[in-house]
């Protein structure tokens, strides 16, 4: 079953922050985050395994609440290069790997 | 590391024809995934392989679709008797195992006339 992402789209000014949420109705083992720019393949950002850990990469970080089957992606001090569509992918203990519908992020100068 | 390679990049064919796509994963990646993506949607899972074994196939996939990975290296995806609704980008991804990042190829864009 496909995870739910919110918001569907967000528009930011350069330097602003954004949060993208991903939730599933199934118990999750891991959540993956990818970014896809128009006309390009998805690019891996990070994986979060069960345990409620939080990961970070420069100004992009994410958390995973295993009990709520939710993950959030945090983008701080956004840059123009952050524009694209963000997908979460969920793994329900190896049964299925499913991508969400995506959140379109536009960063304006 | 040359990345995931897909061939062809574009395929235009008439309805009813058969098409075959090829994916060369990153060497030594045991997992290989096939996805279909239409405009404005996320990648839709089709099937995946662990080495040469096909472990999962989407229930949404009709019998016209078949995939192989004969020696656990490259993979092919065949669509028989293509229909208008098959028009999409077909993405291949590989990873060392199920809990590692998936590395995507540039995809094959299929257009059905």
């Amino acid at each position: 079953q496909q995870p739910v992402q919110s918001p569907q789209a967000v528009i930011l000014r350069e330097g602003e922050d954004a949060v993208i949420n991903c939730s599933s109705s199934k118990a999750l083992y891991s959540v993956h985050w990818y970014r896809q720019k128009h006309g390009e393949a998805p690019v891996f950002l990070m994986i979060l395994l069960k345990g409620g850990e939080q990961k970070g990469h420069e100004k992009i970080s994410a958390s995973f609440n295993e009990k709520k089957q939710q993950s959030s992606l945090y983008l701080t001090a956004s840059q123009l290069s952050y524009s694209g569509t963000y997908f979460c992918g969920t793994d329900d203990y190896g049964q299925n790997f499913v991508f969400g519908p995506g959140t379109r992020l536009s960063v304006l100068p | 590391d040359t990345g995931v390679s897909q061939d062809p990049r574009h395929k235009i064919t008439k309805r009813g024809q058969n098409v075959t796509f090829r994916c060369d994963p990153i060497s030594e990646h045991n997992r290989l995934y096939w996805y279909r993506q239409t405009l404005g949607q996320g990648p839709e899972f089709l099937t995946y392989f662990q080495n040469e074994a096909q472990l999962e196939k989407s229930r949404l996939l009709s019998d016209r679709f078949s995939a192989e990975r004969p020696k656990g290296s490259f993979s092919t995806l065949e669509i028989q008797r293509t229909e208008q609704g098959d028009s999409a980008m077909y993405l291949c991804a590989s990873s060392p195992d199920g809990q590692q990042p998936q590395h995507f190829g540039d995809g094959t864009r299929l257009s059905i006339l």
Side-chain angles (χ1 to χ4, degrees):
Chain A
Q1 190 166 355
Q2 188 179 46
V4 177
Q5 286 187 236
S6 63
Q8 290 185 332
V10 59
I11 300 175
L12 300 174
R13 290 286 180 186
E14 208 172 359
E16 293 181 337
D17 302 340
V19 179
I20 300 172
N21 300 301
C22 174
S23 63
S24 174
S25 60
K26 293 191 171 185
L28 299 177
Y29 181 75
S30 67
V31 178
H32 300 212
W33 284 97
Y34 292 81
R35 176 173 60 207
Q36 185 176 30
K37 293 183 180 289
H38 182 69
E40 299 180 7
V43 174
F44 169 76
L45 294 176
M46 61 189 73
I47 288 178
L48 299 103
L49 303 178
K50 65 177 183 177
E53 64 178 297
Q54 183 156 350
K55 279 194 171 182
H57 176 68
E58 297 183 348
K59 296 177 181 176
I60 300 176
S61 62
S63 63
F64 177 30
N65 186 322
E66 179 191 356
K67 291 183 180 178
K68 294 184 177 181
Q69 294 97 51
Q70 292 178 349
S71 177
S72 294
L73 186 71
Y74 307 94
L75 301 105
T76 58
S78 58
Q79 306 169 13
L80 296 176
S81 62
Y82 287 4
S83 293
T85 302
Y86 289 77
F87 295 101
C88 67
T90 57
D91 174 4
D92 55 356
Y93 287 85
Q95 297 301 309
N96 285 291
F97 186 86
V98 185
F99 279 98
T103 295
R104 185 186 300 270
L105 178 72
S106 300
V107 181
L108 305 178
Chain B
D1 182 355
T2 58
V4 177
S5 176
Q6 291 189 246
D7 183 69
R9 292 294 307 277
H10 303 276
K11 179 68 177 180
I12 301 173
T13 192
K14 293 183 179 180
R15 186 179 55 185
Q17 298 295 305
N18 299 341
V19 294
T20 301
F21 309 141
R22 176 178 171 126
C23 172
D24 286 89
I26 293 172
S27 61
E28 298 182 357
H29 276 193
N30 296 321
R31 284 277 178 108
L32 187 148
Y33 302 82
W34 284 101
Y35 296 91
R36 176 172 63 190
Q37 187 175 30
T38 54
L39 193 64
Q41 302 297 316
E44 177 190 14
F45 170 79
L46 296 179
T47 188
Y48 83 90
F49 293 85
Q50 176 73 27
N51 298 314
E52 67 273 12
Q54 187 173 13
L55 297 186
E56 188 72 24
K57 186 175 178 180
S58 170
R59 289 185 292 275
L60 301 175
L61 214 58
S62 75
D63 291 340
R64 298 184 297 105
F65 288 72
S66 62
E68 293 182 342
R69 194 183 184 195
K71 297 182 179 179
S73 56
F74 73 93
S75 175
T76 58
L77 177 69
E78 181 182 16
I79 308 174
Q80 296 181 327
R81 304 181 302 282
T82 52
E83 302 173 355
Q84 291 283 353
D86 297 333
S87 294
M89 175 71 81
Y90 289 83
L91 294 166
C92 174
S94 71
S95 67
D97 60 53
Q99 298 309 322
Q100 296 292 321
Q102 295 183 29
H103 299 264
F104 283 82
D106 289 332
T108 293
R109 182 172 296 282
L110 175 64
S111 298
I112 307 297
L113 302 178

